[in-house]
Amino acid sequence: PPESEGNLPLGEAQRLHRHVFPRLMDLTMGSGNAKKQRGEALAPAYGDVLEIGFGTGRNLPHYPAAVTSLTAIDPADLLPGKRDRRIAEARMPVERVGRGAETLPFENERFNCAVSTWTLCTIPDAVAAVREIARVLKAGGQFLFLEHGRSDDAKVARRQDRFNPIQRKLGCGCNMNRRIDAIIRRGDMEVMSLARYVMDGSPRVLGEMYRGTAKPAGT
């Protein structure tokens, strides 16, 4: 039998992961509503910033003038043409590092801010990634997050649990049912602000949003 990933032949799964899904997500995440959410989430950013799950660089136009440099972490190399054009057009210098966030190659207290947008849903060990973010943030530094995740409504949460295996396949590892605030707290962070809402125009199982700020615990 042919090699496969889940129920898909390996070649088809690779095409989905490398071409179809990235283009679909880049289009969806460029909508007016997504832009509004990014602008609100990134408004407090300043100084030297670490972004995990950089993707195709959709956040770049939404960073405020107070940001002086951006270090972008992502293990995937998807739509490099679009990504590199956005980096070239960025106001601040951008360094891209092709690796996962669970082990960051930076010294302690390196960054003023860290950013995660629609990313903690996909990282295999999200708690480890948040712990690493806490380690590399300076004293007084902030973690700015904009994520979708588990609903507080029990009926919606049950639907999320039911459909999550399908979502993981179609969404290249994306989970719709993670408690984002719990992950952040387990990652040695203290949540400073948290807004919960359903994103306009999204099905509720995918549009349950967590937007807020956190800081390393004890700082």
Side-chain angles (χ1 to χ4, degrees):
E3 292 183 351
S4 65
E5 180 177 316
N7 294 322
L8 291 174
L10 186 58
E12 185 65 19
Q14 289 175 338
R15 189 180 74 84
L16 177 68
H17 290 191
R18 295 185 62 84
H19 302 289
V20 178
F21 181 73
R23 284 178 169 79
L24 177 62
M25 288 306 298
D26 188 66
L27 180 64
T28 303
M29 292 293 95
S31 71
N33 199 5
K35 289 178 181 178
K36 178 176 182 292
Q37 303 304 318
R38 292 178 196 274
E40 292 176 358
L42 301 181
Y46 68 96
D48 296 325
V49 175
L50 171 70
E51 181 178 336
I52 66 168
F54 182 70
T56 61
R58 279 290 188 185
N59 281 337
L60 286 172
H62 304 285
Y63 280 108
V67 173
T68 54
S69 71
L70 181 71
T71 301
I73 294 285
D74 201 315
D77 187 25
L78 303 175
L79 304 186
K82 286 188 176 185
R83 179 200 65 212
D84 292 347
R85 284 195 297 273
R86 288 167 184 160
I87 289 174
E89 294 168 357
R91 177 190 52 76
M92 78 292 283
V94 179
E95 178 188 7
R96 183 182 177 276
V97 181
R99 65 182 295 162
E102 293 96 334
T103 55
L104 296 174
F106 309 113
E107 68 273 17
N108 295 351
E109 300 187 24
R110 164 70 175 80
F111 297 97
N112 299 109
C113 293
V115 166
S116 168
T117 62
W118 287 284
T119 296
L120 293 179
C121 56
T122 303
I123 296 174
D125 190 343
V127 173
V130 175
R131 286 196 180 113
E132 280 289 270
I133 291 170
R135 179 182 66 79
V136 302
L137 278 176
K138 293 180 178 181
Q142 293 188 80
F143 176 38
L144 315 178
F145 57 92
L146 174 66
E147 302 285 350
H148 75 115
R150 190 173 189 84
S151 177
D152 289 335
D153 184 301
K155 291 182 179 179
V156 177
R158 285 195 294 270
R159 290 201 297 271
Q160 289 176 317
D161 290 339
R162 186 179 313 121
F163 292 120
N164 198 60
I166 299 171
Q167 168 67 11
R168 282 179 55 81
K169 286 184 181 180
L170 296 179
C172 301
C174 172
N175 295 271
M176 63 172 65
N177 61 349
R178 288 183 172 177
R179 275 288 306 274
I180 300 300
D181 55 339
I183 287 171
I184 292 170
R185 292 186 177 100
R186 287 170 58 201
D188 301 330
M189 288 271 197
E190 178 183 349
V191 175
M192 304 300 294
S193 66
L194 177 63
R196 293 295 317 277
Y197 57 95
V198 179
M199 189 169 174
D200 291 342
S202 295
R204 192 163 179 184
V205 291
L206 290 172
E208 291 273 357
M209 299 301 297
Y210 295 66
R211 186 183 70 234
T213 62
K215 68 173 185 175
T219 63

